[in-house]
Amino acid sequence: MGSLKLDLYSRIHPEPIDHFDVLPDSILLLIFNKIGDVKALGRCCVVSRRFHSLVPQVENVVVRVDCVISDDDSSSSGISAASSVSAADKSRHPISSLCRLFFSSLFKPFQSLTQLIAPSSRRPIVSNSEDFYDIDQNSVTHHSPTQVLKNFDEIKLLRIELPRGELEIDEGVLLKWKADFGSTLDNCVILGASSVFQTTNTDECSSVCNVDSNGAESDNGSIPESFYTNGGLKMRVVWTISSLIAASARHYLLQPIIAEHKTLESLVLTDADGQGVLTMNEVQLEELRVKPLSASTASKRTLVPALSMRLWYAAHLELPNGTVLKGATLVAIRPSEQPKKEVLESEANWVASAFEEPFGTAARMLVKRRTYCLEMNSF
């Protein structure tokens, strides 16, 4: 009689079904890979033991860094290190005097970047991601991306997003860069403009900007003499060197992550401002693992080899969507040792594809103009 009552009760009040238990592991991993965000995955880990065991198998991981906790104790030593690097640069290349003018102002954000990614011996730095094997709901625990990612076993696609770009630029100024690295710099593209504005009157803009209907300037791309005397050239040199330093600093700090995660096939380190993007594909990642890195431990960045640069300039550049770039400058950079034929044949592709729209269009328009070739020594 008792069993009959129990059977009747179970039919009237069936036990709730956990539909996630019905899903196979492969489907759950597809869901986790779509989530990607390491902070959200950390929360998934505390849901159940099954989730806890599956999250480390996620292949697509995104680390969004919310903020940087500065380390005031190391500021003075960092500045002295920057001074020693500047002194060393003086004997290496002719533009070292210009480097000294802005290097100290750039070093502080680079120092913050070091603290952002590299774990500190005194305390963790990044206030973004909970260590999902040890979450304390009553306190905030800080971990570097290196520490958080150690819990993943099979990462293939990794994206790290910094809260901002390292380079402080004036309001209204455009500066974007994209760099590809292996064991050292493979290529870098820099797009800059002294100002950017939007217009809805194409006829008016064409008149003011002195451009034809195709956005090409009537001077055939020649750089005016005033460009060399009014500070225009100096500004572009600063843009170029500072972008290269930012890229090489990011690359240096990725070494521990790349060394630990052998399954990585793609790595992107970008920032929320969209200022700079560093990318590494599977071949480049493996190259860094097997080839010794040439680095400056004092400045915590990868050393950049001698470079060959190609520059395009337009005093005013009107894009099809009505965006106008004033003083638009595009710089394509590759190591001097690369065969020039190889560089020229692939130049249009990697330069044009470096930026998202509308700036990809700007790059394609600029590369059709007169080309200026420059060289830079290693630094």
Side-chain angles (χ1 to χ4, degrees), residues 113-364:
L113 176 63
T114 303
Q115 297 164 351
L116 191 70
I117 299 180
S120 169
S121 59
R122 285 175 292 180
R123 66 174 184 271
I125 297 299
V126 180
S127 63
N128 176 308
S129 307
E130 298 100 336
D131 185 340
F132 52 75
Y133 285 110
D134 182 21
I135 296 179
D136 184 352
Q137 300 294 346
N138 299 318
S139 63
V140 178
T141 304
H142 304 307
H143 298 277
S144 73
T146 304
Q147 291 171 311
V148 173
L149 293 171
K150 71 181 181 182
N151 301 302
F152 292 89
D153 303 323
E154 302 179 23
I155 302 178
K156 291 185 178 180
L157 308 177
L158 174 61
R159 178 183 178 90
I160 301 176
E161 184 177 294
L162 305 178
R164 60 182 179 275
E166 301 92 328
L167 309 179
E168 296 183 5
I169 56 177
D170 295 334
E171 186 177 354
V173 174
L174 172 69
L175 180 58
K176 291 182 174 293
W177 59 266
K178 182 177 184 295
D180 290 345
F181 274 82
S183 60
T184 186
L185 179 70
D186 278 352
N187 62 70
C188 181
V189 185
I190 302 167
L191 177 65
S194 54
S195 65
V196 181
F197 61 91
Q198 193 77 22
T199 180
T200 56
N201 191 331
T202 305
D203 294 335
E204 178 183 347
C205 180
S206 297
S207 174
V208 173
C209 298
N210 190 30
V211 296
D212 60 25
S213 59
N214 295 319
E217 222 174 330
S218 58
D219 60 5
N220 295 322
S222 299
I223 296 179
E225 189 66 29
S226 59
F227 179 81
Y228 302 97
T229 58
N230 64 2
L233 177 60
K234 178 181 177 181
M235 180 184 295
R236 271 72 183 177
V237 172
V238 170
W239 286 351
T240 301
I241 298 177
S242 57
S243 297
L244 288 171
I245 292 175
S248 61
R250 292 188 186 187
H251 180 254
Y252 177 87
L253 296 168
L254 289 172
Q255 292 177 78
I257 295 174
I258 296 170
E260 185 170 343
H261 297 276
K262 307 294 187 183
T263 57
L264 267 177
E265 297 178 359
S266 174
L267 191 155
V268 176
L269 177 51
T270 184
D271 56 79
D273 296 337
Q275 184 182 92
V277 180
L278 182 150
T279 62
M280 299 181 71
N281 60 32
E282 187 174 7
V283 174
Q284 293 166 329
L285 289 163
E286 186 59 27
E287 179 186 323
L288 178 59
R289 295 188 188 103
V290 300
K291 188 175 180 180
L293 179 70
S294 179
S296 169
T297 55
S299 57
K300 297 187 183 301
R301 64 178 179 85
T302 302
L303 294 179
V304 177
L307 301 172
S308 176
M309 300 185 291
R310 297 166 69 81
L311 181 147
W312 299 268
Y313 174 81
H316 293 82
L317 189 70
E318 180 186 356
L319 306 184
N321 69 343
T323 301
V324 177
L325 308 183
K326 185 177 180 182
T329 307
L330 180 68
V331 183
I333 305 170
R334 282 197 168 183
S336 300
E337 62 186 19
Q338 289 188 1
K340 291 188 176 181
K341 182 179 180 181
E342 175 189 331
V343 172
L344 290 174
E345 287 179 351
S346 61
E347 187 172 79
N349 295 329
W350 62 271
V351 172
S353 62
F355 306 105
E356 296 181 355
E357 296 301 335
F359 303 111
T361 299
R364 286 190 291 273

